[in-house]
Amino acid sequence: MATTSLMEIRIGEPGNVLTIEMGGLTVDVPRSVGYFAGLAAAVGLGLIEPPLAVFIAAVPMFKALTNSALPKVVRTVGEVLEGAAKPVGSDAEGVVALQDQRDTDTTVVHLGAHPQRGQRQADSDSR
Protein backbone atom coordinates (compact mmCIF):
# COMPACT_ATOMS: atom_id res chain seq x y z
CA MET A 1 0.00 0.00 0.00
CA ALA A 2 1.53 3.32 -1.04
CA THR A 3 1.68 6.09 1.52
CA THR A 4 1.07 9.82 1.22
CA SER A 5 3.61 10.49 4.02
CA LEU A 6 7.25 11.18 3.29
CA MET A 7 8.14 8.07 5.31
CA GLU A 8 6.03 5.56 7.19
CA ILE A 9 7.23 2.87 9.58
CA ARG A 10 4.87 -0.09 10.08
CA ILE A 11 5.44 -2.34 13.08
CA GLY A 12 3.62 -5.63 13.64
CA GLU A 13 1.69 -5.93 10.38
CA PRO A 14 0.56 -9.49 9.53
CA GLY A 15 3.38 -11.12 7.58
CA ASN A 16 5.84 -8.24 8.15
CA VAL A 17 7.20 -7.37 11.57
CA LEU A 18 8.89 -4.13 10.50
CA THR A 19 8.33 -2.37 7.18
CA ILE A 20 9.47 1.07 6.08
CA GLU A 21 7.62 2.82 3.25
CA MET A 22 9.12 5.86 1.56
CA GLY A 23 6.81 7.04 -1.20
CA GLY A 24 6.63 4.11 -3.61
CA LEU A 25 9.54 2.18 -2.04
CA THR A 26 8.82 -0.53 0.53
CA VAL A 27 11.60 -2.15 2.58
CA ASP A 28 10.96 -5.26 4.67
CA VAL A 29 13.65 -4.56 7.26
CA PRO A 30 14.21 -7.97 8.95
CA ARG A 31 14.25 -9.87 5.66
CA SER A 32 16.53 -7.26 4.06
CA VAL A 33 18.98 -7.46 6.96
CA GLY A 34 18.92 -11.26 6.76
CA TYR A 35 19.38 -11.26 2.98
CA PHE A 36 22.34 -8.88 2.87
CA ALA A 37 23.94 -10.11 6.14
CA GLY A 38 23.72 -13.68 4.82
CA LEU A 39 25.54 -12.63 1.66
CA ALA A 40 28.21 -10.82 3.69
CA ALA A 41 28.66 -13.89 5.90
CA ALA A 42 28.94 -16.19 2.86
CA VAL A 43 31.66 -13.98 1.37
CA GLY A 44 33.41 -13.64 4.74
CA LEU A 45 33.43 -17.41 5.23
CA GLY A 46 34.71 -17.97 1.69
CA LEU A 47 31.59 -19.86 0.58
CA ILE A 48 31.05 -17.60 -2.45
CA GLU A 49 33.22 -15.14 -4.34
CA PRO A 50 32.52 -11.39 -4.08
CA PRO A 51 31.43 -10.95 -7.76
CA LEU A 52 28.74 -13.62 -7.27
CA ALA A 53 27.64 -11.95 -4.02
CA VAL A 54 27.28 -8.61 -5.84
CA PHE A 55 25.12 -10.29 -8.51
CA ILE A 56 22.94 -11.94 -5.86
CA ALA A 57 22.67 -8.66 -3.94
CA ALA A 58 21.44 -6.97 -7.13
CA VAL A 59 18.50 -9.40 -7.59
CA PRO A 60 16.05 -7.09 -5.72
CA MET A 61 17.08 -4.29 -8.09
CA PHE A 62 16.42 -6.58 -11.08
CA LYS A 63 12.93 -7.24 -9.69
CA ALA A 64 12.35 -3.49 -9.25
CA LEU A 65 13.18 -2.96 -12.95
CA THR A 66 10.08 -5.01 -13.88
CA ASN A 67 7.72 -2.47 -12.27
CA SER A 68 4.85 -1.54 -14.60
CA ALA A 69 5.45 2.20 -14.04
CA LEU A 70 8.74 1.97 -15.93
CA PRO A 71 9.09 2.17 -19.73
CA LYS A 72 8.70 -1.10 -21.64
CA VAL A 73 12.38 -1.13 -22.67
CA VAL A 74 13.51 -0.90 -19.04
CA ARG A 75 10.96 -3.57 -18.02
CA THR A 76 12.25 -5.85 -20.78
CA VAL A 77 15.84 -5.47 -19.57
CA GLY A 78 14.61 -6.09 -16.01
CA GLU A 79 12.84 -9.29 -17.05
CA VAL A 80 15.96 -10.52 -18.87
CA LEU A 81 18.09 -9.84 -15.79
CA GLU A 82 15.48 -11.45 -13.54
CA GLY A 83 15.55 -14.52 -15.79
CA ALA A 84 19.33 -14.63 -15.54
CA ALA A 85 18.97 -14.52 -11.75
CA LYS A 86 16.61 -17.52 -11.58
CA PRO A 87 19.43 -19.97 -10.71
CA VAL A 88 20.25 -17.91 -7.60
CA GLY A 89 16.68 -17.76 -6.32
CA SER A 90 14.99 -14.81 -8.00
CA ASP A 91 11.62 -16.55 -7.58
CA ALA A 92 11.58 -15.60 -3.90
CA GLU A 93 9.53 -12.70 -2.61
CA GLY A 94 11.43 -9.43 -2.85
CA VAL A 95 12.68 -7.74 0.32
CA VAL A 96 12.81 -4.32 -1.35
CA ALA A 97 9.97 -3.46 -3.72
CA LEU A 98 8.60 -0.54 -5.70
CA GLN A 99 4.84 0.05 -5.63
CA ASP A 100 3.09 0.16 -8.99
CA GLN A 101 2.35 3.84 -9.59
CA ARG A 102 -0.03 3.52 -12.52
CA ASP A 103 -2.10 1.10 -14.51
CA THR A 104 -0.29 -0.83 -17.17
CA ASP A 105 -0.59 0.14 -20.81
CA THR A 106 -0.79 -3.46 -21.96
CA THR A 107 -1.22 -4.03 -25.67
CA VAL A 108 -2.99 -7.23 -26.72
CA VAL A 109 -2.39 -8.61 -30.21
CA HIS A 110 -4.98 -11.11 -31.43
CA LEU A 111 -3.67 -13.69 -33.92
CA GLY A 112 -6.60 -15.36 -35.63
CA ALA A 113 -9.96 -16.47 -34.30
CA HIS A 114 -10.24 -19.25 -31.76
CA PRO A 115 -13.04 -21.69 -32.73
CA GLN A 116 -15.94 -21.99 -30.31
CA ARG A 117 -16.32 -25.27 -28.42
CA GLY A 118 -19.50 -26.26 -30.20
CA GLN A 119 -18.05 -25.36 -33.59
CA ARG A 120 -15.02 -27.62 -33.16
CA GLN A 121 -17.28 -30.53 -32.12
CA ALA A 122 -19.63 -29.90 -35.08
CA ASP A 123 -16.69 -29.86 -37.52
CA SER A 124 -15.42 -33.22 -36.26
CA ASP A 125 -18.93 -34.77 -36.35
CA SER A 126 -19.39 -33.87 -40.02
CA ARG A 127 -16.33 -35.85 -41.07
Side-chain angles (χ1 to χ4, degrees):
M1 153 184 4
T3 179
T4 56
S5 306
L6 181 61
M7 183 163 72
E8 195 169 288
I9 299 172
R10 298 175 176 266
I11 301 169
E13 253 186 335
N16 296 321
V17 175
L18 177 61
T19 304
I20 298 174
E21 290 186 18
M22 295 170 282
L25 180 70
T26 302
V27 179
D28 182 343
V29 176
R31 288 185 178 98
S32 295
V33 168
Y35 184 79
F36 295 111
L39 282 172
V43 170
L45 294 170
L47 299 174
I48 61 174
E49 295 295 321
L52 178 59
V54 169
F55 179 78
I56 294 170
V59 169
M61 186 184 73
F62 300 160
K63 288 181 167 295
L65 290 176
T66 63
N67 189 297
S68 63
L70 297 172
K72 289 179 184 176
V73 173
V74 174
R75 288 173 39 206
T76 301
V77 169
E79 289 179 12
V80 168
L81 291 171
E82 187 179 22
K86 291 261 186 216
V88 294
S90 75
D91 285 341
E93 184 178 317
V95 295
V96 177
L98 292 173
Q99 299 288 329
D100 279 343
Q101 299 297 314
R102 62 183 174 92
D103 292 332
T104 61
D105 56 343
T106 304
T107 303
V108 178
V109 178
H110 297 279
L111 302 173
H114 189 282
Q116 300 294 327
R117 281 185 180 248
Q119 183 180 4
R120 185 178 282 178
Q121 182 66 32
D123 290 345
S124 64
D125 290 344
S126 64
R127 289 182 190 177

Coordinates of all heavy atoms in Angstrom, one line a residue, residues 56-117:
I56 N 24.1 -11.5 -6.7 CA 22.9 -11.9 -5.9 C 22.3 -10.8 -5.1 O 21.1 -10.6 -5.0 CB 23.4 -13.0 -4.9 CG1 23.8 -14.3 -5.6 CG2 22.3 -13.4 -3.9 CD1 24.5 -15.4 -4.8
A57 N 23.2 -9.8 -4.6 CA 22.7 -8.7 -3.9 C 21.9 -7.8 -4.9 O 21.0 -7.0 -4.4 CB 23.8 -7.9 -3.3
A58 N 22.1 -7.8 -6.2 CA 21.4 -7.0 -7.1 C 20.1 -7.5 -7.6 O 19.3 -6.9 -8.2 CB 22.3 -6.8 -8.4
V59 N 19.8 -8.8 -7.2 CA 18.5 -9.4 -7.6 C 17.3 -8.5 -7.2 O 16.4 -8.4 -8.0 CB 18.4 -10.9 -7.0 CG1 17.0 -11.4 -7.2 CG2 19.4 -11.7 -7.7
P60 N 17.2 -8.0 -6.0 CA 16.1 -7.1 -5.7 C 16.0 -5.9 -6.7 O 14.9 -5.5 -7.0 CB 16.3 -6.6 -4.3 CG 17.1 -7.7 -3.7 CD 18.0 -8.2 -4.8
M61 N 17.1 -5.4 -7.1 CA 17.1 -4.3 -8.1 C 16.5 -4.8 -9.4 O 15.8 -4.1 -10.1 CB 18.5 -3.7 -8.3 CG 18.5 -2.5 -9.2 SD 20.1 -1.8 -9.5 CE 20.7 -3.0 -10.6
F62 N 16.9 -6.0 -9.8 CA 16.4 -6.6 -11.1 C 14.9 -6.7 -11.0 O 14.2 -6.4 -12.0 CB 17.0 -8.0 -11.4 CG 18.5 -8.0 -11.5 CD1 19.2 -9.2 -11.3 CD2 19.3 -6.9 -11.8 CE1 20.6 -9.3 -11.4 CE2 20.6 -6.9 -11.9 CZ 21.3 -8.1 -11.7
K63 N 14.4 -7.1 -9.9 CA 12.9 -7.2 -9.7 C 12.3 -5.9 -9.8 O 11.2 -5.7 -10.3 CB 12.6 -7.9 -8.4 CG 12.9 -9.4 -8.3 CD 12.5 -10.0 -7.0 CE 12.5 -11.5 -7.0 NZ 11.5 -12.0 -7.9
A64 N 12.9 -4.8 -9.2 CA 12.4 -3.5 -9.2 C 12.3 -3.0 -10.7 O 11.4 -2.2 -11.0 CB 13.2 -2.6 -8.4
L65 N 13.2 -3.4 -11.6 CA 13.2 -3.0 -12.9 C 12.0 -3.5 -13.7 O 11.8 -3.1 -14.9 CB 14.5 -3.4 -13.6 CG 15.7 -2.6 -13.2 CD1 17.0 -3.2 -13.9 CD2 15.6 -1.1 -13.5
T66 N 11.2 -4.5 -13.2 CA 10.1 -5.0 -13.9 C 8.8 -4.3 -13.5 O 7.7 -4.7 -13.9 CB 9.9 -6.5 -13.6 OG1 9.7 -6.7 -12.2 CG2 11.2 -7.3 -14.0
N67 N 8.9 -3.2 -12.7 CA 7.7 -2.5 -12.3 C 7.0 -1.9 -13.5 O 7.6 -1.3 -14.4 CB 8.2 -1.4 -11.3 CG 7.0 -0.7 -10.7 OD1 6.2 -0.1 -11.3 ND2 7.0 -0.8 -9.3
S68 N 5.6 -2.0 -13.4 CA 4.8 -1.5 -14.6 C 4.9 0.0 -14.8 O 4.5 0.4 -15.9 CB 3.4 -2.0 -14.4 OG 2.8 -1.4 -13.3
A69 N 5.4 0.8 -13.9 CA 5.4 2.2 -14.0 C 6.6 2.6 -14.9 O 6.7 3.7 -15.4 CB 5.6 2.9 -12.7
L70 N 7.5 1.7 -15.1 CA 8.7 2.0 -15.9 C 8.5 1.8 -17.4 O 7.6 1.0 -17.8 CB 9.9 1.1 -15.5 CG 10.3 1.3 -14.0 CD1 11.3 0.2 -13.6 CD2 10.9 2.7 -13.8
P71 N 9.3 2.4 -18.3 CA 9.1 2.2 -19.7 C 9.3 0.7 -20.1 O 10.0 0.0 -19.4 CB 10.2 3.0 -20.3 CG 10.6 4.0 -19.3 CD 10.3 3.4 -18.0
K72 N 8.6 0.3 -21.2 CA 8.7 -1.1 -21.6 C 10.1 -1.6 -21.9 O 10.4 -2.7 -21.6 CB 7.8 -1.3 -22.9 CG 6.4 -1.2 -22.6 CD 5.6 -1.4 -23.9 CE 4.1 -1.2 -23.6 NZ 3.3 -1.3 -24.8
V73 N 11.0 -0.7 -22.4 CA 12.4 -1.1 -22.7 C 13.1 -1.5 -21.4 O 13.8 -2.5 -21.3 CB 13.1 0.0 -23.4 CG1 14.6 -0.3 -23.6 CG2 12.5 0.2 -24.8
V74 N 12.9 -0.6 -20.3 CA 13.5 -0.9 -19.0 C 12.9 -2.2 -18.4 O 13.7 -3.0 -17.9 CB 13.3 0.3 -18.1 CG1 13.8 0.0 -16.7 CG2 14.0 1.5 -18.7
R75 N 11.6 -2.4 -18.5 CA 11.0 -3.6 -18.0 C 11.5 -4.8 -18.7 O 11.7 -5.9 -18.1 CB 9.4 -3.5 -18.2 CG 8.9 -2.5 -17.2 CD 7.4 -2.2 -17.3 NE 6.6 -3.3 -17.7 CZ 5.4 -3.2 -18.4 NH1 5.0 -2.0 -18.7 NH2 4.7 -4.3 -18.6
T76 N 11.7 -4.7 -20.0 CA 12.2 -5.9 -20.8 C 13.6 -6.2 -20.3 O 13.9 -7.4 -20.0 CB 12.3 -5.5 -22.3 OG1 11.0 -5.2 -22.7 CG2 12.8 -6.7 -23.1
V77 N 14.5 -5.2 -20.1 CA 15.8 -5.5 -19.6 C 15.7 -6.1 -18.2 O 16.4 -7.0 -17.8 CB 16.7 -4.2 -19.5 CG1 18.0 -4.4 -18.8 CG2 17.0 -3.7 -21.0
G78 N 14.8 -5.6 -17.3 CA 14.6 -6.1 -16.0 C 14.2 -7.5 -16.0 O 14.6 -8.3 -15.2
E79 N 13.3 -7.9 -17.0 CA 12.8 -9.3 -17.1 C 14.0 -10.2 -17.5 O 14.1 -11.3 -17.1 CB 11.6 -9.4 -18.0 CG 10.4 -8.8 -17.3 CD 9.1 -8.8 -18.2 OE1 9.2 -9.5 -19.2 OE2 8.1 -8.2 -17.8
V80 N 14.8 -9.7 -18.4 CA 16.0 -10.5 -18.9 C 16.9 -10.8 -17.7 O 17.4 -11.9 -17.5 CB 16.7 -9.8 -20.1 CG1 18.0 -10.5 -20.3 CG2 15.8 -9.9 -21.3
L81 N 17.2 -9.7 -17.0 CA 18.1 -9.8 -15.8 C 17.5 -10.7 -14.7 O 18.2 -11.5 -14.1 CB 18.4 -8.5 -15.2 CG 19.3 -7.6 -16.1 CD1 19.4 -6.2 -15.5 CD2 20.7 -8.2 -16.3
E82 N 16.2 -10.6 -14.5 CA 15.5 -11.4 -13.5 C 15.5 -12.9 -14.0 O 15.7 -13.8 -13.2 CB 14.0 -11.0 -13.4 CG 13.3 -11.7 -12.3 CD 11.9 -11.2 -12.1 OE1 11.3 -10.7 -13.1 OE2 11.3 -11.4 -11.0
G83 N 15.4 -13.2 -15.3 CA 15.5 -14.5 -15.8 C 17.0 -15.1 -15.6 O 17.1 -16.2 -15.2
A84 N 17.9 -14.2 -15.8 CA 19.3 -14.6 -15.5 C 19.6 -14.9 -14.1 O 20.4 -15.7 -13.7 CB 20.3 -13.5 -16.0
A85 N 18.8 -14.3 -13.2 CA 19.0 -14.5 -11.8 C 18.2 -15.7 -11.2 O 18.3 -16.1 -10.0 CB 18.6 -13.3 -11.0
K86 N 17.4 -16.4 -12.0 CA 16.6 -17.5 -11.6 C 17.5 -18.6 -10.9 O 17.1 -19.1 -9.9 CB 15.8 -18.2 -12.7 CG 14.7 -17.3 -13.3 CD 13.4 -17.7 -12.7 CE 12.3 -16.9 -13.4 NZ 11.3 -16.6 -12.5
P87 N 18.6 -18.9 -11.4 CA 19.4 -20.0 -10.7 C 19.9 -19.6 -9.3 O 20.2 -20.5 -8.5 CB 20.7 -20.1 -11.6 CG 20.2 -19.7 -12.9 CD 19.2 -18.6 -12.7
V88 N 19.9 -18.3 -9.0 CA 20.2 -17.9 -7.6 C 19.0 -17.5 -6.8 O 19.2 -16.8 -5.7 CB 21.3 -16.8 -7.6 CG1 22.6 -17.2 -8.2 CG2 20.8 -15.5 -8.3
G89 N 17.9 -17.9 -7.2 CA 16.7 -17.8 -6.3 C 15.9 -16.5 -6.5 O 15.3 -16.0 -5.6
S90 N 15.8 -16.0 -7.8 CA 15.0 -14.8 -8.0 C 13.5 -15.0 -7.9 O 12.7 -14.1 -8.0 CB 15.3 -14.2 -9.4 OG 14.8 -14.9 -10.4
D91 N 13.0 -16.3 -7.7 CA 11.6 -16.5 -7.6 C 11.1 -16.2 -6.2 O 9.9 -16.1 -6.0 CB 11.3 -18.0 -7.8 CG 11.4 -18.4 -9.3 OD1 11.3 -17.4 -10.1 OD2 11.5 -19.5 -9.6
A92 N 12.0 -15.9 -5.3 CA 11.6 -15.6 -3.9 C 10.9 -14.2 -3.9 O 11.1 -13.4 -4.7 CB 12.8 -15.6 -3.0
E93 N 10.2 -14.0 -2.8 CA 9.5 -12.7 -2.6 C 10.6 -11.6 -2.4 O 11.6 -11.9 -1.7 CB 8.6 -12.8 -1.4 CG 7.8 -11.6 -1.1 CD 6.9 -11.8 0.1 OE1 6.3 -12.8 0.2 OE2 6.8 -10.8 0.9
G94 N 10.4 -10.5 -3.0 CA 11.4 -9.4 -2.9 C 11.4 -8.8 -1.5 O 10.4 -8.7 -0.9
V95 N 12.6 -8.4 -1.0 CA 12.7 -7.7 0.3 C 12.6 -6.2 0.2 O 12.4 -5.5 1.1 CB 13.9 -8.2 1.1 CG1 13.9 -9.7 1.4 CG2 15.2 -7.9 0.3
V96 N 12.9 -5.7 -1.0 CA 12.8 -4.3 -1.3 C 12.0 -4.3 -2.6 O 12.3 -4.9 -3.6 CB 14.2 -3.7 -1.6 CG1 14.1 -2.2 -2.0 CG2 15.1 -3.8 -0.4
A97 N 10.9 -3.5 -2.6 CA 10.0 -3.5 -3.7 C 9.5 -2.0 -4.0 O 9.3 -1.2 -3.1 CB 8.8 -4.4 -3.4
L98 N 9.2 -1.8 -5.3 CA 8.6 -0.5 -5.7 C 7.1 -0.8 -5.9 O 6.7 -1.8 -6.4 CB 9.2 -0.1 -7.0 CG 10.6 0.4 -7.0 CD1 11.1 0.7 -8.4 CD2 10.8 1.6 -6.2
Q99 N 6.3 0.1 -5.4 CA 4.8 0.0 -5.6 C 4.5 0.4 -7.1 O 5.1 1.4 -7.6 CB 4.1 1.0 -4.7 CG 4.3 0.7 -3.2 CD 3.6 -0.6 -2.8 OE1 2.6 -0.9 -3.3 NE2 4.2 -1.3 -1.8
D100 N 3.5 -0.2 -7.7 CA 3.1 0.2 -9.0 C 2.4 1.5 -8.9 O 1.5 1.7 -8.1 CB 2.1 -0.9 -9.6 CG 2.8 -2.1 -10.2 OD1 4.0 -2.0 -10.4 OD2 2.1 -3.1 -10.4
Q101 N 2.8 2.5 -9.7 CA 2.4 3.8 -9.6 C 1.2 4.1 -10.6 O 0.6 5.1 -10.5 CB 3.5 4.8 -9.8 CG 4.6 4.7 -8.8 CD 4.2 5.0 -7.4 OE1 3.5 6.0 -7.2 NE2 4.5 4.2 -6.5
R102 N 1.0 3.3 -11.5 CA 0.0 3.5 -12.5 C -0.5 2.2 -13.1 O 0.1 1.2 -12.9 CB 0.5 4.4 -13.6 CG 1.6 3.9 -14.4 CD 2.1 4.9 -15.5 NE 3.3 4.4 -16.1 CZ 3.3 3.7 -17.3 NH1 2.2 3.4 -17.9 NH2 4.4 3.3 -17.8
D103 N -1.6 2.3 -13.8 CA -2.1 1.1 -14.5 C -1.2 0.8 -15.7 O -0.5 1.7 -16.2 CB -3.5 1.3 -15.0 CG -4.5 1.4 -13.9 OD1 -4.3 0.9 -12.8 OD2 -5.6 2.1 -14.1
T104 N -1.1 -0.5 -16.1 CA -0.3 -0.8 -17.2 C -0.9 -0.4 -18.5 O -2.2 -0.3 -18.6 CB -0.1 -2.4 -17.2 OG1 -1.3 -3.0 -17.4 CG2 0.6 -2.8 -15.9
D105 N -0.1 -0.2 -19.5 CA -0.6 0.1 -20.8 C -0.4 -1.1 -21.7 O 0.3 -1.0 -22.7 CB 0.1 1.4 -21.4 CG 1.6 1.3 -21.4 OD1 2.1 0.4 -20.7 OD2 2.2 2.1 -22.1
T106 N -1.0 -2.2 -21.3 CA -0.8 -3.5 -22.0 C -1.4 -3.4 -23.3 O -2.6 -3.0 -23.5 CB -1.4 -4.6 -21.1 OG1 -0.8 -4.6 -19.8 CG2 -1.2 -5.9 -21.8
T107 N -0.7 -3.9 -24.3 CA -1.2 -4.0 -25.7 C -1.5 -5.5 -26.0 O -0.6 -6.3 -25.7 CB -0.2 -3.5 -26.7 OG1 0.1 -2.1 -26.4 CG2 -0.7 -3.6 -28.1
V108 N -2.7 -5.8 -26.4 CA -3.0 -7.2 -26.7 C -3.1 -7.4 -28.2 O -3.8 -6.6 -28.9 CB -4.3 -7.6 -26.1 CG1 -4.7 -9.1 -26.4 CG2 -4.3 -7.5 -24.6
V109 N -2.4 -8.3 -28.8 CA -2.4 -8.6 -30.2 C -3.1 -9.9 -30.4 O -2.7 -11.0 -29.9 CB -1.0 -8.7 -30.8 CG1 -1.0 -9.0 -32.3 CG2 -0.2 -7.4 -30.5
H110 N -4.2 -9.9 -31.2 CA -5.0 -11.1 -31.4 C -4.5 -11.7 -32.7 O -4.4 -11.0 -33.8 CB -6.5 -10.8 -31.5 CG -7.0 -10.2 -30.2 ND1 -7.4 -11.1 -29.2 CD2 -7.2 -9.0 -29.8 CE1 -7.8 -10.3 -28.2 NE2 -7.7 -9.0 -28.5
L111 N -4.2 -13.0 -32.7 CA -3.7 -13.7 -33.9 C -4.7 -14.8 -34.3 O -4.5 -15.9 -34.0 CB -2.3 -14.3 -33.6 CG -1.2 -13.3 -33.2 CD1 0.0 -14.1 -32.7 CD2 -0.9 -12.4 -34.3
G112 N -5.6 -14.4 -35.1 CA -6.6 -15.4 -35.6 C -7.7 -15.6 -34.6 O -7.6 -15.4 -33.4
A113 N -8.8 -16.2 -35.1 CA -10.0 -16.5 -34.3 C -9.8 -17.8 -33.7 O -9.3 -18.8 -34.3 CB -11.2 -16.4 -35.1
H114 N -10.2 -18.0 -32.5 CA -10.2 -19.3 -31.8 C -11.6 -19.9 -32.0 O -12.6 -19.2 -31.7 CB -10.0 -19.0 -30.3 CG -9.7 -20.3 -29.5 ND1 -10.8 -21.1 -29.2 CD2 -8.6 -20.9 -29.1 CE1 -10.3 -22.2 -28.5 NE2 -9.0 -22.1 -28.5
P115 N -11.7 -21.1 -32.5 CA -13.0 -21.7 -32.7 C -13.8 -21.9 -31.4 O -13.2 -22.2 -30.4 CB -12.7 -23.0 -33.4 CG -11.3 -23.3 -33.1 CD -10.6 -22.0 -32.9
Q116 N -15.1 -21.8 -31.5 CA -15.9 -22.0 -30.3 C -16.0 -23.5 -30.0 O -15.8 -24.3 -30.9 CB -17.4 -21.5 -30.6 CG -17.4 -20.0 -30.9 CD -17.0 -19.2 -29.7 OE1 -17.3 -19.6 -28.5 NE2 -16.4 -18.0 -29.9
R117 N -16.3 -23.9 -28.8 CA -16.3 -25.3 -28.4 C -17.3 -26.1 -29.3 O -17.0 -27.1 -29.8 CB -16.7 -25.4 -27.0 CG -15.7 -25.2 -26.0 CD -16.2 -25.5 -24.6 NE -15.1 -25.2 -23.7 CZ -14.5 -26.2 -23.0 NH1 -14.9 -27.4 -23.1 NH2 -13.5 -25.9 -22.2

